[in-house]
Amino acid sequence: MSEELRTVWWEPGAVCLIDQRRLPHAQETVRCSELAAVAWAINAMVVRGAPAIGCTAAYGMALAAELSAAGTPDELLAELEQAKATLDAQRPTAVNLAWATGRVLTQARVAAAHGVAAIRAAVLTEAHAILAEDLAMCHAIGEHGAALIPPRGHVLTHCNAGGLATAGYGTALAPIRTAFTRGRAVHVFVDETRPFLQGARLTAWELQQAGIPLTLITDNMAGYMMRRGAIDCVIVGADRIVANGDTANKIGTYSLAVLARAHGLPFYVAAPSSTIDLQLAHGDQIPIEERSAAEVTHLGGQLIAPAGVHAAHPAFDVTPNELITAIITERGVIYPPFSEGLRAAVGERR
Ligand code: MRU
């Protein structure tokens, strides 16, 4: 992705998003000028990827504050609490969403003593800070993770954990980008990522834009590729990493982790500390978003299964910590057992 192409940005009176449903064929902007539109855009996956939806929700809070007719700080705080509940409910698995709206709400409460205008200013300032910090965290993940890429540099990734899924630069793609920029050999095997095709549509496009060599494969080719020695390691992103290191990410990630273990390959998770949730002890407690079965029975709006067939669509799965070689964060690389390292990473974050 070019540095100029932004995932999410603020314009006075609107949260702006590149429409990820239309990529790679069209680069269109969706301008959300009311809270309901921001909530819809998150739910409909106009914007997707855990850090990117966190940034979007933070700006959604700023929009709610800007549009509010509240006359007192208490009234405005009550509206922002409601806005947070609305936004958080849109995608339950990615913890970055509630983390970002929580951070914004905290700053709104701090500013409340100084009046309604002070709350509005504080909320927008915090949203800008969340976006800027996310970009910085992604670059730091790139620094820490690049050294883990084996010499031949054949990396398998799943879904899109690139610039489009963040404020820019990405998480799983960050070590790859950094290694490539430094002249290291890299070749990325990109899972197409059924059913929403984030790999085929978004990751393949981002890597192509950056000039990074890639091979697009269907999800069910991963085992074959590993067995014939085409893959050196796997790097994926995360939607929620809980206290013991169990990690929720796009459906299909768990299968890759099992395959990587069976073939003796390192399996890395790359994520900023905003994706860590120490409130949950283990992965079975992570809420898994169930999306519409129509996203499975249809491809590009076209029915590909018998009409009326029953289909399931869990959008995420959980990879148990024992299948994860290391977790790459902006603070450094965390090795098993993960609990202590995760606590330290969270302890240092805002
Ligand atoms: O359903 P999506 O496209 O929002 O799922 C995205 C993923 O699973 C990503 O791997 C994860 O959010 C990390 S993005 C840096």
Side-chain angles (χ1 to χ4, degrees), residues 264-275:
L265 298 173
F267 182 90
Y268 299 114
V269 171
S273 57
S274 51
T275 304

Side-chain angles (χ1 to χ4, degrees), residues 20 45 47-53 91 94 96 138 158-162 165-166 170-172 196 198 202 236-239 248-251 253 270-272 275 289 291 315-316:
Q20 299 196 30
M45 293 175 60
V47 61
R48 31 65 49 202
I53 59 181
R91 299 216 56 201
N96 306 60
C138 288
H158 190 62
C159 193
N160 173 264
T166 62
T171 57
F196 213 71
Q198 291 94 329
L202 307 176
V236 296
D239 285 79
N249 191 50
K250 178 54 53 195
I251 190 77
T253 302
T275 304
E289 177 183 4
R291 291 188 64 85
F316 299 94

Side-chain angles (χ1 to χ4, degrees), residues 300-312:
Q302 195 74 29
L303 183 66
I304 56 163
V309 74
H310 181 259

Side-chain angles (χ1 to χ4, degrees), residues 162-180:
L164 288 163
T166 62
Y169 207 68
T171 57
L173 294 196
I176 294 165
R177 282 180 189 277
T178 303
F180 179 74

